[in-house]
C-alpha cells in the first residue's frame, strides 16, 4: 500500500515570495490534515479536511495561508506571501475517517524562508 | 497554552536498558493518547496508543501507562535498542462533533540509545 506522498521535499524561498505544497493521501482515506512543525516543536494542526470539505481551520493564518482539496483526494497548501517565521516542515497526514485517532504521515516538505 | 507537554527534550540510554519517556497533559477532555516515532527526514509513524478507559497497553517491547488522576502518561521501551533512537511525540485526542478526533502533539523527546 502506497503511503502519503508529498512534494516538494525541500524548498528555499525569499520572504514575500509564494510557495505551494502538494499532498496525495493514502487511497481511500477520507480525512486529510496539514500540520506545521517548527524545529524543536511538535506538529501543529493547520487545517483538516473531511473529503473535500474543511472541518477545522482555526489555526490556519488565513491572511497568508490557503489550502484546498477540490476532488476529495489530493490537496495543496499555499503560502503567499511567506514570512521568515514560516520556515518549518509541512506535514500532510491522512486517516480513514475522522473518528480514527491514528494518522499516517508523509515525509514532509521542508520550507526555508530567507 | 501547551495542552500536551514533554518536559524532557532528550534522553540517553544504554542499549538493553529501559527507556522511559514522559508526557503530561492539562485537558481533562482528552480520551485517547498516542505515541509517534520520528526518524530524521521522515514523517512521524504511529507506535502505540491507549484509551482513557485503560491504564496500560503493551505491544512487544513498548508499553504505555496512563495515570488519569495525574494527567500523565509514559512510554516504556524494554529492552532499548540502537534502532529505537528517534524523536518520540506524545499526542492526545478528544472527539469533536464537528471535526472528529483532533490530535494535539507534545514537543517531542529525542531518545538516543547507545550501543
Amino acid at each position: 500500500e502506497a503511503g502519503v506522498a508529498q512534494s516538494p521535499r525541500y524548498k528555499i524561498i525569499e520572504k514575500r515570495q509564494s510557495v505551494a505544497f502538494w499532498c496525495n493521501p493514502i487511497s481511500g482515506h477520507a480525512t486529510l490534515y496539514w500540520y506545521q512543525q517548527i524545529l524543536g516543536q511538535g506538529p501543529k494542526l493547520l487545517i483538516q479536511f473531511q473529503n473535500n470539505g474543511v472541518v477545522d481551520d482555526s489555526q490556519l493564518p488565513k491572511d497568508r495561508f490557503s489550502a484546498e482539496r477540490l476532488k476529495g483526494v489530493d490537496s495543496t497548501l499555499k503560502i503567499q506571501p511567506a514570512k521568515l517565521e514560516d520556515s518549518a516542515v509541512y506535514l500532510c497526514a491522512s486517516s480513514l475517517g475522522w473518528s480514527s485517532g491514528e494518522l499516517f504521515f508523509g515525509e514532509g516538505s521542508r520550507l526555508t524562508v530567507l | 497554552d501547551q495542552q500536551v507537554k514533554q518536559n524532557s527534550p532528550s534522553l540517553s540510554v544504554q542499549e538493553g536498558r529501559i527507556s522511559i519517556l514522559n508526557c503530561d497533559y492539562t485537558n481533562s477532555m482528552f480520551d485517547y493518547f498516542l505515541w509517534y516515532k520520528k526518524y530524521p527526514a521522515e514523517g512521524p509513524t504511529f507506535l502505540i496508543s491507549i484509551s482513557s478507559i485503560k491504564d496500560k497497553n503493551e505491544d512487544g517491547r513498548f508499553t504505555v501507562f496512563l495515570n488519569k488522576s495525574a494527567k500523565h502518561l509514559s512510554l516504556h521501551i524494554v529492552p532499548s535498542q540502537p534502532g529505537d533512537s528517534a524523536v518520540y511525540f506524545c499526542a492526545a485526542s478528544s472527539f469533536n462533533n464537528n471535526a472528529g478526533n483532533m490530535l494535539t502533539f507534545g514537543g517531542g523527546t529525542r531518545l538516543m540509545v547507545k550501543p
Side-chain angles (χ1 to χ4, degrees), chain B:
Chain B
D1 178 30
Q2 267 191 296
Q3 296 188 68
V4 180
K5 288 185 181 179
Q6 294 176 254
N7 291 318
S8 298
S10 65
L11 174 68
S12 182
V13 171
Q14 204 66 35
E15 181 180 7
R17 305 296 288 268
I18 184 171
S19 295
I20 301 176
L21 294 90
N22 294 303
C23 178
D24 296 295
Y25 62 95
T26 56
N27 188 342
S28 58
M29 297 301 292
F30 289 142
D31 57 8
Y32 191 62
F33 303 88
L34 307 92
W35 286 92
Y36 281 80
K37 177 178 176 179
K38 185 182 183 305
Y39 291 118
E42 294 184 12
T45 55
F46 170 75
L47 186 59
I48 192 170
S49 64
I50 187 168
S51 165
S52 61
I53 61 173
K54 293 186 173 182
D55 55 17
K56 176 183 175 181
N57 187 27
E58 191 172 351
D59 183 2
R61 297 185 297 113
F62 302 91
T63 303
V64 57
F65 295 91
L66 175 63
N67 182 334
K68 282 188 295 182
S69 60
K71 294 191 177 67
H72 176 83
L73 66 155
S74 60
L75 174 68
H76 292 210
I77 307 173
V78 183
S80 302
Q81 298 174 354
D84 296 329
S85 297
V87 177
Y88 290 78
F89 291 101
C90 167
S93 169
S94 59
F95 189 80
N96 177 296
N97 284 331
N98 294 322
N101 270 315
M102 303 183 65
L103 289 188
T104 301
F105 284 85
T109 296
R110 181 178 300 278
L111 173 66
M112 292 162 284
V113 180
K114 298 179 178 178

Side-chain angles (χ1 to χ4, degrees), chain A:
Chain A
E1 178 183 80
V4 176
Q6 288 190 246
S7 67
R9 290 294 310 277
Y10 305 93
K11 189 75 176 178
I12 301 174
I13 62 173
E14 295 193 350
K15 59 183 179 182
R16 290 187 289 273
Q17 287 187 322
S18 63
V19 63
F21 302 112
W22 173 85
C23 171
N24 190 21
I26 293 173
S27 177
H29 281 195
T31 311
L32 184 148
Y33 311 79
W34 282 102
Y35 281 85
Q36 180 193 57
Q37 186 183 6
I38 292 172
L39 187 65
Q41 299 181 18
K44 183 186 88 171
L45 179 67
L46 292 175
I47 188 167
Q48 176 183 342
F49 293 93
Q50 179 69 15
N51 296 309
N52 61 347
V54 175
V55 295
D56 182 62
D57 64 356
S58 57
Q59 298 191 81
L60 187 74
K62 297 179 188 62
D63 57 335
R64 299 182 300 105
F65 286 65
S66 64
E68 58 184 14
R69 193 186 184 197
L70 291 176
K71 296 183 180 178
V73 181
D74 53 352
S75 174
T76 55
L77 174 71
K78 295 179 182 177
I79 308 174
Q80 182 180 11
K83 292 186 174 182
L84 296 177
E85 58 262 35
D86 298 332
S87 294
V89 175
Y90 291 86
L91 293 162
C92 179
S94 68
S95 65
L96 272 173
W98 74 352
S99 62
S100 171
E102 181 183 342
L103 308 186
F104 295 83
F105 284 87
E107 293 179 321
S109 295
R110 179 179 295 279
L111 173 66
T112 302
V113 182
L114 303 176

